[in-house]
Amino acid sequence: MQILVVNPNSTASMTDKILTSARAVAGAGVTIHGATAKGGPASIEGHHDEAMSVPGLLAEIRAHEARGIDGVVVACFDDPGIGACREVASGPVLGICEAAVKAASMIATSFSVVTTLPRSVPVIERLVHGYGLSHQCRRVRSAEIPVLALEEAGSNARARIRDEILRAVEEDRCEAVVLGCAGMSDLARSLSEETGIPVIDGVTVATRMIEALVGAGLATSKVNAYATPIAK
Amino acid sequence: MQILVVNPNSTASMTDKILTSARAVAGAGVTIHGATAKGGPASIEGHHDEAMSVPGLLAEIRAHEARGIDGVVVACFDDPGIGACREVASGPVLGICEAAVKAASMIATSFSVVTTLPRSVPVIERLVHGYGLSHQCRRVRSAEIPVLALEEAGSNARARIRDEILRAVEEDRCEAVVLGCAGMSDLARSLSEETGIPVIDGVTVATRMIEALVGAGLATSKVNAYATPIAK
Amino acid sequence: MQILVVNPNSTASMTDKILTSARAVAGAGVTIHGATAKGGPASIEGHHDEAMSVPGLLAEIRAHEARGIDGVVVACFDDPGIGACREVASGPVLGICEAAVKAASMIATSFSVVTTLPRSVPVIERLVHGYGLSHQCRRVRSAEIPVLALEEAGSNARARIRDEILRAVEEDRCEAVVLGCAGMSDLARSLSEETGIPVIDGVTVATRMIEALVGAGLATSKVNAYATPIAK
Amino acid sequence: MQILVVNPNSTASMTDKILTSARAVAGAGVTIHGATAKGGPASIEGHHDEAMSVPGLLAEIRAHEARGIDGVVVACFDDPGIGACREVASGPVLGICEAAVKAASMIATSFSVVTTLPRSVPVIERLVHGYGLSHQCRRVRSAEIPVLALEEAGSNARARIRDEILRAVEEDRCEAVVLGCAGMSDLARSLSEETGIPVIDGVTVATRMIEALVGAGLATSKVNAYATPIAK
Amino acid sequence: MQILVVNPNSTASMTDKILTSARAVAGAGVTIHGATAKGGPASIEGHHDEAMSVPGLLAEIRAHEARGIDGVVVACFDDPGIGACREVASGPVLGICEAAVKAASMIATSFSVVTTLPRSVPVIERLVHGYGLSHQCRRVRSAEIPVLALEEAGSNARARIRDEILRAVEEDRCEAVVLGCAGMSDLARSLSEETGIPVIDGVTVATRMIEALVGAGLATSKVNAYATPIAK
Amino acid sequence: MQILVVNPNSTASMTDKILTSARAVAGAGVTIHGATAKGGPASIEGHHDEAMSVPGLLAEIRAHEARGIDGVVVACFDDPGIGACREVASGPVLGICEAAVKAASMIATSFSVVTTLPRSVPVIERLVHGYGLSHQCRRVRSAEIPVLALEEAGSNARARIRDEILRAVEEDRCEAVVLGCAGMSDLARSLSEETGIPVIDGVTVATRMIEALVGAGLATSKVNAYATPIAK
């Protein structure tokens, strides 16, 4: 099975981290292909960055489609351009927000999300509302760190995320925490052990869920909304 | 007051039609500036087209912002890139779907939408859900016409739209009908007279609503989600 | 364009304040007609006061309709009798709550409301729920001041409202604040400057939005729910 | 136990019918007091009629409160002025729509409503939405009869209601039908037998539910929204 | 009228307390029959306990149905097996959660629930969501006491519940409090007097509401979902 | 990886069919263990059957837990006792309805469900509402066949299901169809080919999704609602 994991921002070190996470959980017989969208922003912090990342993201998917790909993971928690990706790809496509919050809803009655900057909080709230999970999402929280701080060796990013998780446990009475950025992928396991609550990383979950959809013989419906784009 | 009306697709004849509609209703002292997004698709039919139109749309807004603009109308019923536009513009920004359905909710207890192709129906349903108006929207309907048929002299587009409006009145028991494409802007008034039900065009409504927001001294909040994009 | 702005309570000084606000923003060529509902309560604080204000409110609309009116603003944040007003008036009708919260939803991803007494909080929560904007409304707050304190020179009403706005910013993480009483209309601009967050006044927004609806050629649908009352 | 059943319209023959229904089901030891609101419309068909009925309705409640009343039923399916009634009365207050649809939700997983005129359909839909039962309400239907046709001996009102119930069973796949007008109160039992589906009359249900609330020691909370009106 | 009140857990002292509450409010001519489900857990604290209580609960209903019963109250706040009970019983069936929160919604614009253990909080939140009352439920709270502590003479259960009610009033700004366990039934009246807010006990409310449904001639619809189980 | 797939009804031929489906899609290195709940009904058609199946279902899970199981699939579309199973199992647990509708929401903007008997329709509607996917579920339909007809060689069950799928495509304008019974598991692939729309079988999807959760290192949160049952 050939799975493409695309990082929609242009920061290659983040792509590496994401691929490490995806490959660590990939099932037997699954090949993870990585890609970094070109021409977009170095990090996705808000609607503008998200919008500017999509053409490059679609280009990567088109390129890999030509070579044969069974499914696609879009590794940014804002789930940029998912509808467009579903039109372009032949196999199923998942954003890591959708995968993570739907997984959270399967293992806990409630969850909170911990993301990077405050400006991403309403973006994620709107996604969760669209996915129909507002009633299980206690709160979307920000650790008040820029995305790229997650790539800096000496930053206090991990400490801030851990503290925010502990606040979520205490104040939100949630049963699980979802990490709201692909760049936090390497932290999930140790933070879960440290805090005693399931900490969910969208990259690993989305990778395994795409495998699940492909393995169950499912692909994006081409009947209507996600039909191949009309040539113009 | 300087209002920018942008057509996010690249078809200039549609921009002309949109501007004619906008100027026909603009208030005293309001100048309507028109723009056509470059580099995008000739029409927006689905998620892919929508995503590909946004960079050109943002470029037009940036260019006009530099010259001084009080508010922006995005003249495509898929409301492409509205969040990104709100980050980039200093004044308020409205998509014609949001403007039209919120206006509909002010003059009727229920409405249906008549759009072009079936593939746009779920896109609009999702927008209406996000705007919180699902409980007032009876149904989103398609007249089964491509967007550019609206630009062709001899097409039966108008007849199909009229028939679909009459079906909406009959089957949906709605009290108003919203036209779900900027390219239908010239048809609203005559269709309303012919069918005996308010037929709402997003272009004219959005133009006057942007004037209203600007006139009331309101601009997009820059506090969090719609703050200016972070320079990278 | 002839716009009627009605104060549904019987306090003339509040009508004067409301008219000053409405006239300050009215577009070129728009005449604002003011009216004070007779026979109702001096202020509207709860369901009883609201219900008792409606017959007088409808009488004012009927009287002005006879002389020719293009649209109506009902200047009380409880949006009293709006459905009835829409049946009676020929042009569009807006309550200031509906106008303000829909405007807020166009310029911010979230907002809180600051109103007068705690007993008005559930009334407004129910309105916001009906308008479909609960998911964007962080919280409806009370500054714990009676409505008529807003008319008293030496009261600490403005200070309490400002403090409540600051608490909303801090605790609710909202991106805009809506003032939940027509009597606060004169405070919006200075409070917005002082607190650094958009502060929305329903009177000015509703005035401009009614202009927008009229200017776009829209009137209340007479097809079903808002048809003219049946003579008896 | 002293229960007041008020007819908010001014048609005394309808009050008589309502009282007959209420008294037929009242528990042992319960006295049903009847009242007809004065000064309002002869029937309530739309928002205007509803609004104009409320002052007379409140006057009846105040008058009976002075003599000692344990609970109040407002016998119109538009639930006019319920919030105001709850402020004025000391005991619990129920409108027949709220009572009927909440009872329906207790005995069936879904229900449809059959009311009089089409213009009342959106009014009832909004009530059901406010009561949180939209997900159990299949459809609100109109039998296309004026309210007062229910008082006319030779009208075909009953036949039209029966036909609409049968259409609801067939088309809506509902498990119960709620009659959407107090004037249909005398028809419920025979229509239920004739159609083979539970047909719920709000007058009888509300009468027994008010008894239930009083009997369980409950009265309207006076803590905030429904506190006694502030004297002015 | 013959009403069965079943305690789905196997603790007889709790059944006694429940019956005392039910009999204290039962209307004239109503006989309350009590039953304790056999073979189930001593208390219902979570999904497992709830599931294990249902076969014994159904057996009690079947046994009493054979002797002639007009309606059934299931006296556990998790509303275990209500759908199954409705299939098995001929008369109406109410769980005490449904009865209590629907009663709360009739006497207050908002309410909070105070239950026993934190693990029951999400169970009740899900029930309230299903009943459509999330928008009126401020918060479901736990007093952090095991169910059976309510049966122990010297426990501080009552003090903890009272403190949690006071916190609900202060923090949730609710207008009523619902007690979230049948074992708290004896405390409602005194806690209401002590805290000055309506405190609602589901056992008494459900008993009177079942009487109301029976008295109004209503029984569970056997049309579809709640039809008698198919013999196998 | 050891996955338990339990059939909560007692019909062994259905278990065999379910296991064949699960094993056909299981990933490399995954062992599927099958179990049939004892003491429950031969098929699950309504709330009573569902409730009676749970104790036997829990017993199977407990027995396999003792031997070491990584995850559990409950193979009945009513998702019986899922909360209880999550308390009892250490690994993740999925019902096939939850798995199937969440998968549907990942590959299509809308779906309909085709189940067996009409009485199961409201059960599934309520599940879908609880999972937050009502806005994507067009309609839950019944093919009007008893569950065990799916086990009979000469029945017209498959033809009826195919016809209902075609009606769903035509009338509901859905983009995917979910089969609403574990006993339909063998039909999904051929029906999808025959009808040209994705037809989703919960057994295969749930099997792969449980693998995904286990593979991503996720297990049911034991923090609160799904904590191990309290010993009594």
Side-chain angles (χ1 to χ4, degrees):
Chain A
M1 195 187 297
Q2 311 296 314
I3 302 296
L4 173 66
V5 179
V6 201
N7 173 14
N9 76 38
S10 61
T11 300
S13 66
M14 197 176 288
T15 312
D16 293 344
K17 188 198 295 182
I18 289 165
L19 288 174
T20 302
S21 290
R23 283 173 182 145
V25 299
V30 174
T31 305
I32 303 293
H33 301 262
T36 308
K38 289 166 193 65
S43 59
I44 297 182
E45 295 165 323
H47 304 83
H48 166 271
D49 294 355
E50 183 191 329
M52 295 308 290
S53 76
V54 179
L57 166 65
L58 292 172
E60 291 301 319
I61 294 176
R62 282 193 191 279
H64 283 79
E65 274 290 313
R67 283 172 243 155
I69 282 292
D70 297 303
V72 178
V73 171
V74 178
C76 168
F77 208 80
D78 290 1
D79 286 359
I82 293 299
C85 297
R86 285 181 178 152
E87 291 185 9
V88 166
S90 51
V93 178
L94 270 177
I96 63 172
C97 174
E98 181 169 0
V101 298
K102 288 185 178 169
S105 75
M106 292 169 175
I107 65 162
T109 65
S110 66
F111 60 88
S112 287
V113 178
V114 174
T115 189
T116 51
L117 290 180
R119 71 184 300 155
S120 294
V121 169
V123 173
I124 295 169
E125 288 174 334
R126 200 169 291 194
L127 286 172
V128 173
H129 181 70
Y131 297 141
L133 292 174
S134 297
H135 64 306
Q136 290 189 256
C137 181
R138 292 281 192 209
R139 183 166 159 190
V140 182
R141 292 167 164 274
S142 152
E144 308 223 4
I145 44 174
V147 169
L148 293 182
L150 294 161
E151 304 304 295
E152 291 163 22
S155 87
N156 63 349
R158 190 186 180 283
R160 280 176 167 274
I161 295 167
R162 184 201 53 215
D163 292 352
E164 198 66 29
I165 292 172
L166 293 175
R167 269 193 290 273
V169 171
E170 173 74 14
E171 297 173 10
D172 308 349
R173 293 154 293 124
C174 59
E175 297 177 3
V177 169
V178 173
L179 295 182
C181 180
M184 299 175 181
S185 183
D186 52 331
L187 307 175
R189 190 160 301 230
S190 71
L191 285 171
S192 188
E193 284 160 12
E194 197 170 332
T195 59
I197 194 170
V199 175
I200 301 171
D201 157 49
V203 175
T204 44
V205 169
T207 301
R208 291 294 314 221
M209 280 217 172
I210 275 292
E211 286 182 29
L213 294 174
V214 173
L218 297 179
T220 299
S221 174
K222 292 294 174 182
V223 172
N224 188 28
Y226 298 139
T228 303
I230 299 168
K232 281 164 194 175
Chain B
M1 195 187 298
Q2 311 297 314
I3 302 296
L4 173 66
V5 178
V6 200
N7 173 14
N9 76 37
S10 61
T11 300
S13 68
M14 196 176 289
T15 312
D16 293 342
K17 188 198 294 182
I18 290 164
L19 288 173
T20 301
S21 290
R23 284 172 182 146
V25 300
V30 175
T31 305
I32 303 293
H33 301 261
T36 308
K38 288 166 193 66
S43 59
I44 297 182
E45 295 166 323
H47 305 83
H48 166 270
D49 295 355
E50 183 191 330
M52 294 308 289
S53 75
V54 180
L57 166 63
L58 293 173
E60 291 301 320
I61 293 176
R62 282 195 192 278
H64 284 80
E65 275 289 313
R67 282 172 246 154
I69 281 291
D70 297 304
V72 178
V73 170
V74 178
C76 167
F77 207 80
D78 289 2
D79 286 357
I82 294 298
C85 297
R86 284 180 179 154
E87 291 186 7
V88 166
S90 51
V93 178
L94 271 176
I96 64 172
C97 174
E98 181 171 359
V101 298
K102 288 186 178 169
S105 74
M106 292 170 175
I107 65 162
T109 66
S110 65
F111 60 89
S112 285
V113 177
V114 174
T115 188
T116 52
L117 291 179
R119 72 185 299 155
S120 293
V121 170
V123 173
I124 295 169
E125 288 174 334
R126 199 169 292 194
L127 285 173
V128 172
H129 181 69
Y131 298 142
L133 292 174
S134 298
H135 63 304
Q136 291 190 255
C137 181
R138 293 283 192 207
R139 183 167 160 188
V140 182
R141 293 168 163 274
S142 152
E144 308 224 1
I145 44 173
V147 170
L148 293 182
L150 294 162
E151 304 302 296
E152 291 162 21
S155 87
N156 63 350
R158 189 184 180 285
R160 279 175 168 276
I161 294 166
R162 184 201 54 214
D163 292 353
E164 199 65 30
I165 291 173
L166 293 174
R167 270 192 291 273
V169 171
E170 173 73 14
E171 297 173 12
D172 307 349
R173 296 154 289 122
C174 58
E175 299 177 1
V177 169
V178 172
L179 296 182
C181 180
M184 299 175 180
S185 183
D186 53 330
L187 307 175
R189 189 160 300 230
S190 71
L191 285 170
S192 186
E193 284 161 11
E194 196 170 333
T195 59
I197 194 171
V199 175
I200 300 172
D201 158 48
V203 176
T204 44
V205 169
T207 301
R208 291 295 313 221
M209 280 215 174
I210 276 290
E211 285 181 30
L213 295 175
V214 173
L218 297 179
T220 300
S221 173
K222 293 294 172 179
V223 171
N224 188 26
Y226 298 138
T228 303
I230 300 169
K232 280 163 195 176
Chain C
M1 196 185 298
Q2 311 297 313
I3 301 297
L4 172 66
V5 179
V6 200
N7 173 13
N9 75 38
S10 61
T11 300
S13 67
M14 196 176 289
T15 311
D16 292 343
K17 189 198 294 181
I18 289 165
L19 288 173
T20 301
S21 290
R23 284 173 182 146
V25 299
V30 175
T31 305
I32 303 294
H33 302 262
T36 307
K38 289 167 193 66
S43 59
I44 297 182
E45 295 166 323
H47 305 83
H48 166 271
D49 294 354
E50 184 191 328
M52 294 308 290
S53 75
V54 180
L57 166 64
L58 292 172
E60 290 301 318
I61 294 176
R62 283 196 191 277
H64 284 79
E65 274 291 313
R67 284 172 242 154
I69 281 292
D70 297 302
V72 178
V73 170
V74 178
C76 168
F77 207 82
D78 290 1
D79 286 359
I82 294 299
C85 297
R86 285 181 178 151
E87 291 186 8
V88 166
S90 50
V93 178
L94 270 177
I96 63 172
C97 175
E98 181 170 0
V101 297
K102 288 185 178 169
S105 75
M106 293 170 175
I107 65 163
T109 67
S110 65
F111 60 88
S112 286
V113 178
V114 173
T115 189
T116 50
L117 290 180
R119 70 184 301 156
S120 292
V121 169
V123 172
I124 295 169
E125 288 174 335
R126 198 169 292 194
L127 286 173
V128 172
H129 181 69
Y131 297 141
L133 292 174
S134 297
H135 63 306
Q136 289 189 258
C137 182
R138 292 282 192 208
R139 184 167 159 189
V140 182
R141 292 168 163 273
S142 152
E144 308 224 2
I145 43 173
V147 169
L148 294 181
L150 294 162
E151 304 303 295
E152 292 164 19
S155 86
N156 63 349
R158 191 187 180 282
R160 280 176 166 275
I161 294 166
R162 184 202 53 215
D163 292 352
E164 199 65 30
I165 291 173
L166 294 174
R167 269 192 290 273
V169 171
E170 173 73 16
E171 297 174 10
D172 308 348
R173 296 154 289 125
C174 58
E175 298 177 3
V177 169
V178 173
L179 295 182
C181 180
M184 299 175 181
S185 183
D186 53 332
L187 307 176
R189 191 159 299 231
S190 70
L191 285 170
S192 187
E193 283 161 14
E194 196 170 334
T195 59
I197 195 170
V199 175
I200 300 172
D201 158 49
V203 175
T204 44
V205 169
T207 300
R208 291 296 310 224
M209 281 216 171
I210 275 292
E211 286 182 30
L213 295 174
V214 173
L218 296 178
T220 300
S221 173
K222 293 294 172 180
V223 171
N224 188 26
Y226 299 138
T228 303
I230 299 170
K232 279 163 195 175
Chain D
M1 196 186 295
Q2 311 297 314
I3 301 297
L4 172 66
V5 178
V6 200
N7 174 14
N9 75 37
S10 62
T11 300
S13 67
M14 195 175 291
T15 312
D16 292 344
K17 189 199 292 181
I18 290 164
L19 288 173
T20 301
S21 290
R23 285 173 181 144
V25 299
V30 175
T31 305
I32 302 293
H33 301 262
T36 307
K38 289 166 193 66
S43 59
I44 296 182
E45 295 166 322
H47 305 82
H48 166 271
D49 294 356
E50 183 192 330
M52 294 308 289
S53 76
V54 179
L57 166 63
L58 293 172
E60 290 301 319
I61 294 176
R62 281 194 191 278
H64 284 78
E65 274 291 311
R67 283 173 242 153
I69 281 291
D70 297 303
V72 177
V73 170
V74 178
C76 168
F77 207 80
D78 290 2
D79 286 359
I82 294 298
C85 297
R86 284 180 179 152
E87 291 186 8
V88 165
S90 50
V93 178
L94 270 176
I96 65 172
C97 174
E98 180 169 0
V101 298
K102 288 186 178 169
S105 75
M106 293 170 175
I107 65 163
T109 67
S110 65
F111 60 88
S112 286
V113 178
V114 174
T115 188
T116 52
L117 290 179
R119 71 184 300 156
S120 293
V121 170
V123 173
I124 295 169
E125 288 174 334
R126 198 168 292 194
L127 286 173
V128 172
H129 180 70
Y131 297 142
L133 293 173
S134 296
H135 64 305
Q136 289 189 258
C137 181
R138 292 284 192 206
R139 183 168 160 189
V140 182
R141 292 167 163 274
S142 153
E144 309 223 2
I145 44 174
V147 169
L148 293 181
L150 294 162
E151 305 303 295
E152 292 163 19
S155 86
N156 63 349
R158 190 185 179 285
R160 281 175 165 276
I161 294 167
R162 183 201 55 216
D163 291 353
E164 199 65 30
I165 291 173
L166 293 174
R167 271 193 289 273
V169 170
E170 173 73 15
E171 298 173 10
D172 308 349
R173 295 153 291 123
C174 59
E175 298 177 2
V177 169
V178 172
L179 296 182
C181 180
M184 299 175 180
S185 183
D186 53 331
L187 307 174
R189 190 160 298 231
S190 71
L191 286 170
S192 187
E193 283 161 13
E194 197 170 333
T195 60
I197 194 171
V199 175
I200 300 172
D201 157 48
V203 176
T204 44
V205 170
T207 301
R208 290 295 311 223
M209 280 216 173
I210 275 291
E211 285 181 29
L213 294 174
V214 173
L218 297 178
T220 300
S221 174
K222 293 294 172 178
V223 170
N224 188 26
Y226 298 139
T228 303
I230 299 170
K232 279 161 195 175
Chain E
M1 195 187 299
Q2 311 297 313
I3 301 296
L4 173 66
V5 179
V6 200
N7 173 14
N9 76 38
S10 62
T11 299
S13 67
M14 196 176 289
T15 312
D16 292 344
K17 188 198 294 181
I18 289 164
L19 288 173
T20 301
S21 290
R23 284 172 181 145
V25 299
V30 175
T31 305
I32 302 294
H33 302 260
T36 308
K38 289 166 194 64
S43 59
I44 297 182
E45 295 166 323
H47 305 82
H48 167 271
D49 294 355
E50 184 191 329
M52 295 307 290
S53 76
V54 179
L57 166 64
L58 293 172
E60 291 301 319
I61 293 176
R62 282 195 191 278
H64 285 80
E65 273 291 313
R67 282 172 242 154
I69 281 291
D70 297 302
V72 178
V73 171
V74 178
C76 168
F77 207 81
D78 289 1
D79 286 359
I82 294 298
C85 297
R86 285 181 178 152
E87 291 186 7
V88 166
S90 50
V93 178
L94 271 176
I96 63 172
C97 175
E98 181 170 0
V101 298
K102 288 186 178 169
S105 75
M106 293 169 176
I107 65 163
T109 66
S110 65
F111 60 88
S112 286
V113 178
V114 174
T115 189
T116 52
L117 290 180
R119 72 184 298 156
S120 293
V121 170
V123 173
I124 295 169
E125 288 174 334
R126 199 169 290 195
L127 286 173
V128 172
H129 181 69
Y131 297 141
L133 293 174
S134 297
H135 64 305
Q136 291 190 255
C137 181
R138 293 281 192 208
R139 184 167 160 189
V140 182
R141 292 168 163 272
S142 152
E144 309 225 0
I145 44 174
V147 169
L148 293 181
L150 294 162
E151 304 303 295
E152 291 162 21
S155 86
N156 62 350
R158 190 185 180 283
R160 280 177 166 274
I161 295 167
R162 183 201 54 215
D163 292 353
E164 199 65 30
I165 291 173
L166 293 175
R167 270 192 291 273
V169 171
E170 173 73 15
E171 296 173 11
D172 308 349
R173 296 154 290 125
C174 59
E175 299 177 1
V177 169
V178 172
L179 295 182
C181 179
M184 298 174 181
S185 182
D186 53 330
L187 307 175
R189 190 160 300 230
S190 71
L191 285 170
S192 187
E193 284 161 11
E194 197 171 332
T195 60
I197 195 171
V199 175
I200 300 172
D201 157 49
V203 175
T204 45
V205 169
T207 301
R208 290 296 312 224
M209 281 215 171
I210 276 291
E211 285 182 30
L213 295 174
V214 173
L218 297 178
T220 300
S221 173
K222 292 295 173 180
V223 171
N224 188 27
Y226 298 138
T228 303
I230 299 169
K232 279 163 196 176
Chain F
M1 196 187 296
Q2 311 297 314
I3 301 297
L4 172 66
V5 179
V6 200
N7 173 13
N9 76 37
S10 62
T11 300
S13 67
M14 196 177 289
T15 311
D16 292 343
K17 188 198 296 182
I18 290 164
L19 287 174
T20 301
S21 290
R23 283 173 181 144
V25 299
V30 175
T31 306
I32 303 293
H33 301 262
T36 307
K38 288 165 195 66
S43 59
I44 297 183
E45 296 166 323
H47 304 83
H48 167 270
D49 293 356
E50 183 192 330
M52 294 308 290
S53 76
V54 180
L57 166 64
L58 293 173
E60 290 302 320
I61 294 176
R62 281 194 191 279
H64 284 79
E65 274 290 313
R67 283 172 242 155
I69 282 290
D70 296 303
V72 178
V73 170
V74 177
C76 168
F77 207 81
D78 290 1
D79 286 359
I82 293 299
C85 297
R86 285 181 179 153
E87 291 186 9
V88 165
S90 50
V93 177
L94 271 177
I96 64 172
C97 174
E98 181 171 0
V101 298
K102 288 186 178 169
S105 74
M106 293 170 175
I107 66 163
T109 66
S110 66
F111 60 89
S112 286
V113 177
V114 173
T115 189
T116 51
L117 290 179
R119 71 184 300 155
S120 293
V121 170
V123 172
I124 295 169
E125 288 174 334
R126 199 170 291 194
L127 285 172
V128 173
H129 180 70
Y131 297 141
L133 292 173
S134 298
H135 64 304
Q136 290 189 258
C137 181
R138 292 282 194 208
R139 184 167 157 188
V140 181
R141 292 168 164 275
S142 152
E144 307 223 2
I145 44 173
V147 169
L148 293 181
L150 295 162
E151 304 303 294
E152 291 163 21
S155 88
N156 63 350
R158 189 186 180 283
R160 279 176 167 276
I161 294 167
R162 184 202 52 216
D163 292 353
E164 198 66 29
I165 291 173
L166 293 174
R167 269 193 290 273
V169 171
E170 173 73 14
E171 297 173 11
D172 307 349
R173 296 153 290 123
C174 58
E175 298 177 3
V177 169
V178 173
L179 295 182
C181 179
M184 300 175 180
S185 183
D186 53 331
L187 307 175
R189 189 159 302 231
S190 71
L191 286 170
S192 187
E193 284 160 13
E194 196 170 333
T195 59
I197 194 171
V199 175
I200 301 172
D201 158 49
V203 175
T204 45
V205 169
T207 301
R208 291 296 312 222
M209 280 217 173
I210 275 290
E211 285 182 30
L213 294 175
V214 173
L218 296 179
T220 299
S221 173
K222 293 293 174 179
V223 171
N224 189 27
Y226 298 138
T228 304
I230 299 169
K232 281 163 194 174

